[in-house]
């Protein structure tokens, strides 16, 4: 019996030592950063900026892999089932906290199957209107929309997406009755908004700037606490419609549960360093994305709080 226990102890010790050595050498090959949305979308834009900076810092390629579908569930499941060795990361969004409250059953557990690493950025939303809507500002839009009960439609990047919930919360609070039209991603939703098939959308700012500057869409208000440098003439929802209103598309990085703590800590340090890099900060500024950064525990606490918030 003693011999058996001794053998088990030695085996466990050897395994721990091997894992520690592996973590110390990490990374020795390319890392895959899974983005659970299509390429070219607002999440993908920020993820690629971060992956480039991480690649430069760590001396190994950090390759973005898009696995969109089912409001990020497909990509999240893929990472949840990946080997916990630090070579598969999930660039997550608020969907990690929203989906447990939107779907009766998920093939993964957003708390148990992932280890949070760090928050990365938050992107405010902007309330957009097609030029055919006869309103020059947020208050004018509310007055018009209330008279068009049930006649206006608003697009989103998908049912349960932050662009859906943001618009629903804003319109509902203002007592506006509009029809929700969900799309498979922000790109087709924006295409139909520009084409006038839907009249309104609350989209991320970084995905909307080009359409606003080209005059194809009208920006009515942003959901950030203060006005944005990228859209200085666009007021906030807080100052025009709903005092205290604030909402954004937050993002971060998680890894499969069981990833060695040394790798989690190293990755956290690399991400926080990247979020201080001048070249990355400038690219985020151009996208109106606000850098964050946190400890693994702080990010875990935030995700849990958001799960509780939207489930309440």
């Amino acid at each position: 019996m003693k011999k058996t226990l001794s053998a088990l102890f030695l085996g466990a010790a050897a395994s721990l030592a091997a894992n520690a050595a592996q973590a110390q050498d990490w990374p020795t090959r390319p890392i895959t950063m899974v983005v659970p949305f299509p390429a070219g979308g607002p999440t993908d834009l920020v993820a690629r900026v971060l992956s480039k900076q991480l690649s430069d810092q760590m001396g190994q390629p950090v390759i973005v892999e898009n696995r969109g579908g089912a409001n990020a569930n497909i990509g999240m499941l893929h990472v949840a089932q990946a080997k916990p060795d630090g070579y598969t990361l999930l660039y997550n969004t608020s969907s990690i906290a929203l989906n447990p409250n939107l779907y009766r059953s998920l093939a993964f557990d957003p708390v148990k199957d992932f280890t949070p690493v760090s928050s990365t950025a938050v992107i405010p939303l902007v309330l957009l209107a097609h030029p055919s809507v006869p309103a020059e500002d947020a208050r004018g839009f509310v007055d018009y929309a209330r008279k068009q009960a049930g006649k206006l439609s608003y697009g989103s990047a998908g049912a349960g997406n932050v662009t859906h919930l943001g618009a629903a919360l804003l319109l509902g609070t203002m007592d506006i009755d509009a029809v929700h039209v969900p799309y498979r991603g922000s790109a087709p939703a924006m295409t139909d908004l520009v084409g006038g098939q839907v009249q309104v959308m609350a989209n991320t700012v970084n995905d909307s700037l080009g359409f606003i500057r080209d005059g194809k869409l009208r920006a009515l208000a942003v959901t950030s606490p203060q006005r944005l440098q990228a859209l200085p003439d666009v007021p906030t929802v807080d100052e025009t419609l709903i005092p205290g209103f604030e909402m954004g598309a937050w993002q971060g990085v998680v890894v499969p549960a069981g990833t060695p703590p040394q790798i989690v800590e190293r990755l956290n340090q690399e991400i926080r360093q990247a979020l201080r890099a001048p070249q990355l900060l400038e690219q985020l500024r151009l996208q109106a994305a606000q850098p964050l950064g946190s400890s693994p525990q702080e990010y875990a606490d935030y995700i849990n709080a958001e799960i509780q918030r939207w489930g309440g």
Side-chain angles (χ1 to χ4, degrees):
M1 180 68 175
K2 290 182 178 180
K3 184 177 180 180
T4 301
L5 289 175
S6 177
L8 289 172
F9 176 79
L10 290 173
S15 177
L16 288 173
N19 288 339
Q22 180 186 24
Q24 188 174 9
D25 293 337
W26 180 91
T28 60
R29 55 185 173 86
I31 297 167
T32 298
M33 179 184 286
V34 174
V35 173
F37 293 99
T43 304
D44 182 69
L45 292 175
V46 179
R48 290 181 185 276
V49 170
L50 178 62
S51 66
K52 172 64 167 59
Q53 182 62 36
L54 290 175
S55 298
D56 293 343
Q57 288 177 193
M58 295 192 292
Q60 289 289 346
V62 178
I63 303 167
V64 171
E65 179 180 307
N66 297 94
R67 285 182 174 263
N71 199 28
N73 284 335
I74 291 175
M76 287 194 283
L77 176 61
H78 174 75
V79 176
Q81 295 175 336
K83 187 177 180 180
D85 56 6
Y87 290 100
T88 304
L89 321 177
L90 173 68
Y91 193 79
N92 74 276
T93 67
S94 52
S95 293
I96 200 171
L98 297 173
N99 288 5
N101 298 303
L102 296 171
Y103 296 87
R104 290 186 177 181
S105 62
L106 292 173
F108 60 90
D109 188 310
V111 175
K112 295 179 181 179
D113 291 340
F114 298 110
T115 295
V117 178
S118 176
S119 60
T120 56
V122 60
I123 308 171
L125 305 179
V126 55
L127 181 62
L128 302 165
H130 186 266
S132 63
V133 174
E136 296 297 325
D137 54 33
R139 178 52 62 183
F141 166 72
V142 170
D143 292 340
Y144 170 75
R146 285 175 175 169
K147 297 175 183 177
Q148 303 294 316
K151 297 180 181 179
L152 294 180
S153 56
Y154 67 97
S156 78
N161 185 276
V162 67
T163 59
H164 169 208
L165 298 181
L169 180 60
L170 178 57
L171 297 177
T173 303
M174 297 308 300
D175 196 28
I176 294 172
D177 179 15
V179 179
H180 175 224
V181 182
Y183 291 83
R184 293 188 175 184
S186 61
M190 290 293 280
T191 297
D192 272 11
L193 180 61
V194 170
Q197 280 74 35
V198 293
Q199 292 77 48
V200 188
M201 183 173 177
N203 196 26
T204 53
V205 173
N206 63 342
D207 196 36
S208 308
L209 287 173
F211 298 103
I212 297 169
R213 290 167 177 165
D214 290 344
K216 295 180 179 179
L217 296 174
R218 184 178 299 127
L220 301 175
V222 293
T223 63
S224 51
Q226 293 85 32
R227 293 195 184 197
L228 301 175
Q229 186 176 357
L231 296 170
D233 297 328
V234 180
T236 66
V237 174
D238 169 74
E239 67 182 285
T240 55
L241 298 176
I242 309 169
F245 188 97
E246 178 184 351
M247 194 169 190
W250 54 268
Q251 306 170 353
V253 173
V254 300
V255 292
T259 299
Q262 299 95 325
I263 291 179
V264 173
E265 184 58 34
R266 167 75 188 285
L267 184 56
N268 175 268
Q269 293 172 3
E270 294 287 353
I271 290 173
R272 296 175 82 168
Q273 179 182 336
L275 292 171
R276 296 191 296 269
Q279 60 270 27
L280 180 141
L281 291 175
E282 175 61 14
Q283 291 183 68
L284 293 185
R285 184 189 69 79
L286 293 174
Q287 294 190 38
Q290 302 163 356
L292 297 175
S294 64
S295 71
Q297 187 58 55
E298 287 170 340
Y299 193 38
D301 292 342
Y302 182 79
I303 291 174
N304 288 331
E306 285 291 286
I307 291 174
Q308 295 300 316
R309 172 193 176 193
W310 291 103

